[in-house]
Amino acid sequence: MSKLGYLEKLLDGAGVEWKPLEKVGTFQRGKRFVRSDMGSVGIPCIHYGDIYTRYGVWIKEAKAFLNENLASKLRAANPGDVVIVAAGETIEDIGNGTAWLGTDDVVIHDACFSFKSQLNPKYVSYFLRTEIFKEQIKSKISSGKISSINARGLGQANIPIPCPKSPEKSLAIQAEIVRILDAFTELTAELTAELTARKKQYNHYRDQLLTFDDREVEWRVLGDLCSISVGQSPEIDEIGEYPFVNAGTTPSGYLSAYNTDADTITTPSRGQGGIGYVGYQKTRFWCGPLCYRIRSASKNFSTRFLYYVMASRMEDIVGLANMAGVPALNKKDLVGFPVPLPSIEEQARIVAILDKFDALTNSSQEGLPREIALRHKQYKYYRDLLLSFRKSEGMVA
């Protein structure tokens, strides 16, 4: 898709005018309610946090509801309005919109605005997610623990209006842009649903492969078969290629030195949120002081096999930890973790099967996760391309 060629063909000689949102529509802020007010029946509502996590560019049905008495005291968006997030912990998400395409009004939270205009609401909502729009509102956001923007700040941002002198043709062009972006969105949604199904299938087969009858295999404890130790604080702070793995579920950074070889299991020893998570390090890395590193010390026991065993039993690992105060997993409890010991040939067979499933469902380098990442990147590229009309004279965006 050539940018200039396609946009010119789409416009068919029509002009484009960028106009401030406050000149083409009106904003109304919602009123406060809290999550404990929300239930599964009643009047539909949109909480600002759900726009970050549960809603996309548009919705036809809400996922939460308020009782009628409370809803009657609040403010609502009408069908065809765009509900815009006005507050959040990160400025990147502020300004995201969700077009409300339900048949009835929907109550909105006080950290949201409804935006009413004669534009295609999905066209507006797609535009609100472009880099062009984000750049325009960045300077209008007040930063703090919770960052926010007011209606004036949102309203000063310009939106491209194709063919402004012919509303009918303008809406037709907006609809065509929406149709193209909808196709990308639906493709990504289909792939995501497929990935969810594959992960469920993977978990099913993994649990089957790793379920052993006591009479089939010998059971030992982790301390009998493995070396277990925690790492150290980094001696250097120079950024490099080696992951720094500590108490979290993702690397805390990258260093120019390592203290642990590849083919090692990691699991946090203490800290909020990470206890029970099991990782497998395929490359050399720096192991921090709040992380266990576990490797087989027996030629009859595969570290990779052990990783799959431990990853399938995260709840059991959490059960070993002391969760009072700062959660902590003590070594004296971890060494007693029971593990099956089938033949090394059977371990290799199971690892080969699970490695294939793991690549399909979890790898960012292949399989569905990679395909989804590529499609999402493609969607963002075309979204910004289709909404990057030539700026109006004198406009600063």
Side-chain angles (χ1 to χ4, degrees):
M1 188 185 293
S2 162
K3 175 181 175 180
L4 289 179
Y6 187 80
L7 289 180
E8 287 173 358
K9 183 178 178 182
L10 191 63
L11 291 170
D12 191 24
V16 174
E17 187 175 353
W18 289 71
K19 293 185 177 182
L21 286 168
E22 63 188 7
K23 298 293 186 185
V24 296
T26 56
F27 293 91
Q28 178 177 251
R29 182 185 285 277
K31 284 193 171 182
R32 184 167 178 76
F33 59 90
V34 295
R35 285 200 175 274
S36 59
D37 294 325
M38 296 159 58
S40 57
V41 294
I43 305 300
C45 68
I46 295 179
H47 187 276
Y48 82 103
D50 289 341
I51 296 181
Y52 296 133
T53 57
R54 305 171 78 184
Y55 298 142
V57 174
W58 77 95
I59 54 170
K60 291 184 177 179
E61 296 179 352
K63 297 183 183 296
F65 300 83
L66 300 172
N67 71 60
E68 192 169 343
N69 181 50
L70 174 60
S72 67
K73 302 172 185 175
L74 304 177
R75 290 177 181 153
N78 306 129
D81 290 353
V82 179
V83 182
I84 303 174
V85 175
E89 294 182 1
T90 62
I91 64 172
E92 288 78 12
D93 288 329
I94 290 178
N96 277 355
T98 293
W100 170 243
L101 304 181
T103 55
D104 300 313
D105 292 349
V106 62
V107 175
I108 60 171
H109 189 263
D110 69 341
C112 299
F113 287 99
S114 65
F115 177 71
K116 186 184 302 296
S117 75
Q118 296 302 310
L119 302 174
N120 184 314
K122 290 168 75 173
Y123 174 83
V124 174
S125 191
Y126 274 121
F127 177 73
L128 296 179
R129 292 169 187 256
T130 63
E131 292 299 322
I132 303 168
F133 173 71
K134 299 293 187 185
E135 281 298 316
Q136 291 187 78
I137 66 169
K138 188 178 292 183
S139 63
K140 309 293 192 303
I141 296 173
S142 61
S143 299
K145 184 175 181 182
I146 299 294
S147 300
S148 63
I149 190 169
N150 58 26
R152 177 65 174 159
L154 289 169
Q156 290 179 333
N158 291 286
I159 184 171
I161 313 294
C163 200
K165 295 181 180 177
S166 173
E168 185 177 346
K169 186 173 181 179
S170 180
L171 285 172
I173 295 172
Q174 293 170 40
E176 175 61 11
I177 291 172
V178 165
R179 184 190 66 79
I180 296 170
L181 295 177
D182 277 354
F184 282 114
T185 302
E186 289 169 10
L187 175 59
T188 303
E190 289 173 4
L191 289 170
T192 302
E194 176 71 10
L195 179 61
T196 300
R198 290 289 164 268
K199 284 188 173 181
K200 187 176 180 181
Q201 185 183 42
Y202 163 70
N203 289 339
H204 172 76
Y205 284 117
R206 183 194 63 187
D207 292 347
Q208 277 201 332
L209 287 165
L210 297 174
T211 298
F212 299 96
D213 190 294
D214 289 348
R215 295 165 296 186
E216 292 178 326
V217 300
E218 180 184 4
W219 284 78
R220 303 280 293 276
V221 295
L222 204 58
D224 287 347
L225 299 168
C226 300
S227 64
I228 305 172
S229 63
V230 294
Q232 309 89 30
S233 296
E235 298 165 351
I236 47 106
D237 58 4
E238 185 179 346
I239 296 174
E241 62 181 294
Y242 301 107
F244 172 35
V245 180
N246 204 20
T249 59
T250 56
S252 300
Y254 289 85
L255 301 171
S256 60
Y258 67 92
N259 64 358
T260 309
D261 285 326
D263 187 31
T264 298
I265 297 165
T266 51
T267 191
S269 63
R270 61 187 63 245
Q272 297 284 353
I275 292 293
Y277 174 78
V278 178
Y280 178 81
Q281 309 306 321
K282 295 180 178 178
T283 61
R284 292 168 171 170
F285 67 103
W286 189 280
C287 185
L290 302 179
C291 184
Y292 288 114
R293 47 190 172 188
I294 304 169
R295 299 189 70 185
S296 170
S298 167
K299 64 179 181 180
N300 295 320
F301 196 48
S302 158
T303 300
R304 184 67 172 166
F305 173 76
L306 175 61
Y307 160 70
Y308 283 121
V309 171
M310 294 183 68
S312 70
R313 293 167 58 192
M314 289 186 183
E315 290 185 2
D316 293 342
I317 297 173
V318 172
L320 295 174
N322 180 357
M323 303 301 283
V326 177
L329 177 59
N330 294 318
K331 184 177 177 179
K332 65 181 177 60
D333 298 313
L334 185 60
V335 296
F337 186 75
V339 293
L341 186 60
S343 69
I344 193 68
E345 291 80 12
E346 178 64 4
Q347 293 176 44
R349 186 186 74 85
I350 292 172
V351 165
I353 295 171
L354 294 181
D355 275 352
K356 289 179 182 177
F357 273 112
D358 188 64
L360 283 173
T361 56
N362 295 315
S363 172
S364 61
Q365 303 301 315
E366 53 188 307
L368 283 170
R370 179 176 182 274
E371 184 68 16
I372 289 172
L374 289 174
R375 296 289 77 79
H376 189 65
K377 185 177 180 181
Q378 187 182 41
Y379 152 73
K380 290 178 68 176
Y381 170 79
Y382 283 114
R383 181 196 63 197
D384 287 6
L385 183 152
L386 286 166
L387 295 166
S388 62
F389 295 101
R390 190 187 304 278
K391 306 291 188 304
S392 301
E393 188 174 349
M395 176 190 147
V396 177

